[in-house]
Amino acid sequence: MCINKCIKEMKWGHWQRKGIIKSQFYRCQHPGGRGDSQARCLNATVAVTYHGQSQPILSLMCPQGPKASGSQTEETMYNLSCYNPGSFILVGIPGLEKFHIWIGIPFCVIYVLALVGNCTLLYLIAVEHSLHEPMFFFLAMLATTDLILSTATVPKLLTNLWLHSQEITFSGCLTQMFFLHFSFVVDSAILLAMAFDRYVAICFPLRYTTILTPQVIIKLAASIVVRSFSVILPDVFLLKRLPFCGTRIIPHTYCEHIGVARLASADISINIWYGFSVPLMTVISDVIIIAVSYTFILRAVFQLSSQGARQKALSTCGSHVCVILMFYTPAFFSILAHRFGHSVPRNLLILFANLYVAIPPALNPIVYGVKTKQIQDKFILLFSLKKTQ
C-alpha cells in the first residue's frame, strides 16, 4: 500500500517515457514487521536504474492505511520530508554517458579560458589608469558577472561528467539557481548600460564626461545589482514553499527555476507566471532599449560628413555588438528550442544549454581584446614587460 502511494507520487511512467529511468526497485520498512495487518510504511527507500547505473534517489515517509495510533505523527513526518528535501539528482546528459569523459574536456578548456581571460581583463582595468573610464568600468562588471555565471555551472558539470557526482543538496540547488539567473539578468543590464555609454559617446561627445560622471556610474552599477537581486530572489522563496514528495531527479546538469518547480507535488502556476514575467520585465525590455539606442547611434553616425569619422564611430561599437549577439542569440534560441522544439533530442538541448553558459564568458574577453585597441595595447605591453624581466 505504501509502495503504491510512492509509485503514484513519483510519476515513474513520465520519466520512463523520457528515457531517463529504465527500472526501479523499492525497499519498504513496516512498523510492525512484514506481518503488520495495517501495512503502514514508515519509510520507503527508492532507487532507480537509469542507463545501467543504479543509484539510491531518496527516502520518503510514506504513511498508508487507516488512521490508527501514531498515524498523525507519520503524516507530520511525511510532510516535513516533503518540505525539507535532502537532495536532488542531476542526471547530466542522458544518452551520452559513454562520452561523458570526452564531453568534459572541451568544457574544462573553455572554463579555464574564461577564468584566465576575465581575470586578466580585470587586472588590466584595475592597474591601468588610462582604462579608468565608464566603458571599461562596465566591462569590468561584465567580466565579474561572467566569472560568476561560469563558476556557478561548469564545475558542477565537470564533477558530474568525470566523477559521477550527481547529487546536489536542496540548498546547493537553490544557490546554483539563484546565481545562474542573477548573473544572466545582470549581464543583460550591463549590456544595456554599455549601449547607453556608446549612445552618449557618439551622439553627445562633447558632453560625455559631464553626463557619465563617477557618481552616475556608481548609481547605474548599484541599480543594476539591486534590480537583478530583487527580481531573482523571489525565485528562491517560490521554490522553498513547494512540497517535493515525488521524484527528485532533475534531467539536466544544473538547477534552474522552472525545471526544479516541475518536480513539486503542488500547483506551480505562480512559479510559471513569475518565471515568464521576469524575462519580460528585464531581458526583453533591455533588448528593446538597446535596439532603440543603436537606432539613434546609427542615425548619428551616418549623419557624419567624414568617412573616417564614421568608421571610427562604428569601430567603437563593434565589440559591444559582437558581445550582444553572442549573449542574446543563443539565449533566445535555447528558449525557443525548449518551448517548441519537441522533436529535438533532449540531450542536444541540455548540451546546448551548457554551451550557452560556458562559451560567452570565455569569448567576451577575447572579443574585447581584439576589437578594443586600448586593451590590446595594454595586453601586449603587460606581456612584453614580463619577458624583459
Side-chain angles (χ1 to χ4, degrees):
M1 298 172 71
C2 168
I3 298 304
N4 292 334
K5 183 179 179 66
C6 291
I7 294 174
K8 180 180 179 181
E9 289 179 344
M10 291 186 184
K11 307 173 185 176
W12 291 118
H14 169 74
W15 298 108
Q16 286 176 330
R17 286 192 300 273
K18 291 283 186 180
I20 294 173
I21 297 176
K22 299 302 183 184
S23 63
Q24 65 278 337
F25 63 88
Y26 310 89
R27 184 172 65 254
C28 192
Q29 299 173 357
H30 296 267
R34 293 290 179 181
D36 187 1
S37 59
Q38 296 183 15
R40 297 190 314 275
C41 178
L42 287 179
N43 181 275
T45 301
V46 183
V48 301
T49 301
Y50 54 92
H51 302 291
Q53 296 182 354
S54 179
Q55 294 284 345
I57 297 302
L58 67 153
S59 295
L60 286 180
M61 309 306 297
C62 295
Q64 184 68 23
K67 294 290 182 181
S69 60
S71 61
Q72 192 68 33
T73 302
E74 294 171 11
E75 188 70 32
T76 302
M77 295 173 67
Y78 175 68
N79 291 333
L80 288 175
S81 69
C82 290
Y83 285 96
N84 296 280
S87 61
F88 290 88
I89 296 295
L90 294 169
V91 172
I93 308 176
L96 299 176
E97 287 79 10
K98 295 181 180 179
F99 307 101
H100 274 184
I101 294 177
W102 300 105
I103 293 173
I105 294 174
F107 278 105
C108 182
V109 172
I110 292 170
Y111 181 58
V112 171
L113 286 176
L115 290 179
V116 174
N118 286 289
C119 289
T120 303
L121 194 60
L122 287 172
Y123 174 77
L124 288 175
I125 295 174
V127 300
E128 293 295 337
H129 292 285
S130 61
L131 300 181
H132 292 178
E133 298 178 4
M135 182 180 71
F136 298 109
F137 177 79
F138 291 130
L139 183 56
M141 287 187 63
L142 184 67
T144 304
T145 310
D146 284 342
L147 287 173
I148 295 174
L149 175 62
S150 56
T151 303
T153 53
V154 180
K156 182 58 183 175
L157 167 67
L158 294 178
T159 59
N160 193 324
L161 297 179
W162 286 348
L163 305 178
H164 305 291
S165 177
Q166 299 171 317
E167 188 175 6
I168 185 171
T169 62
F170 184 51
S171 58
C173 188
L174 293 179
T175 302
Q176 185 185 53
M177 179 212 69
F178 173 80
F179 282 107
L180 172 68
H181 295 311
F182 172 78
S183 57
F184 181 83
V185 176
V186 170
D187 265 351
S188 179
I190 293 172
L191 292 177
L192 173 60
M194 296 174 80
F196 176 70
D197 171 82
R198 293 298 86 201
Y199 167 74
V200 175
I202 294 175
C203 296
F204 306 98
L206 299 179
R207 298 173 54 193
Y208 180 78
T209 55
T210 58
I211 294 175
L212 290 176
T213 62
Q215 293 79 10
V216 172
I217 298 300
I218 292 174
K219 289 179 181 178
L220 282 174
S223 64
I224 288 172
V225 175
V226 170
R227 185 194 78 158
S228 304
F229 184 84
S230 300
V231 299
I232 298 302
L233 186 63
D235 285 346
V236 176
F237 295 101
L238 286 174
L239 286 179
K240 286 182 70 68
R241 71 181 181 89
L242 295 174
F244 294 92
C245 304
T247 182
R248 295 171 193 169
I249 305 170
I250 303 175
H252 214 298
T253 57
Y254 55 77
C255 298
E256 52 94 16
H257 177 217
I258 299 301
V260 177
R262 284 174 177 162
L263 303 181
S265 306
D267 181 36
I268 60 171
S269 300
I270 297 177
N271 299 72
I272 293 174
W273 280 108
Y274 192 77
F276 173 77
S277 61
V278 166
L280 194 64
M281 292 186 302
T282 57
V283 178
I284 302 298
S285 61
D286 291 345
V287 172
I288 294 173
I289 299 173
I290 290 172
V292 171
S293 67
Y294 267 94
T295 302
F296 286 108
I297 289 172
L298 291 175
R299 188 180 70 173
V301 168
F302 288 111
Q303 286 177 350
L304 296 173
S305 57
S306 172
Q307 179 71 20
R310 284 198 294 267
Q311 290 180 351
K312 183 178 179 181
L314 290 174
S315 65
T316 61
C317 301
S319 55
H320 184 231
V321 172
C322 289
V323 171
I324 288 175
L325 293 176
M326 286 192 305
F327 180 77
Y328 288 114
T329 303
F332 289 132
F333 179 82
S334 180
I335 292 172
L336 292 175
H338 276 84
R339 293 289 181 184
F340 306 107
H342 302 295
S343 61
V344 180
R346 178 75 184 179
N347 51 21
L348 291 182
L349 293 177
I350 295 174
L351 193 60
F352 184 81
N354 282 279
L355 289 173
Y356 164 66
V357 298
I359 290 181
L363 291 183
N364 287 347
I366 298 175
V367 169
Y368 274 99
V370 172
K371 292 283 187 179
T372 309
K373 190 175 186 304
Q374 297 99 312
I375 295 177
Q376 190 177 11
D377 292 342
K378 299 302 179 183
F379 183 80
I380 295 173
L381 180 62
L382 174 66
F383 279 90
S384 63
L385 288 175
K386 285 187 175 181
K387 287 182 179 180
T388 57
Q389 289 176 355

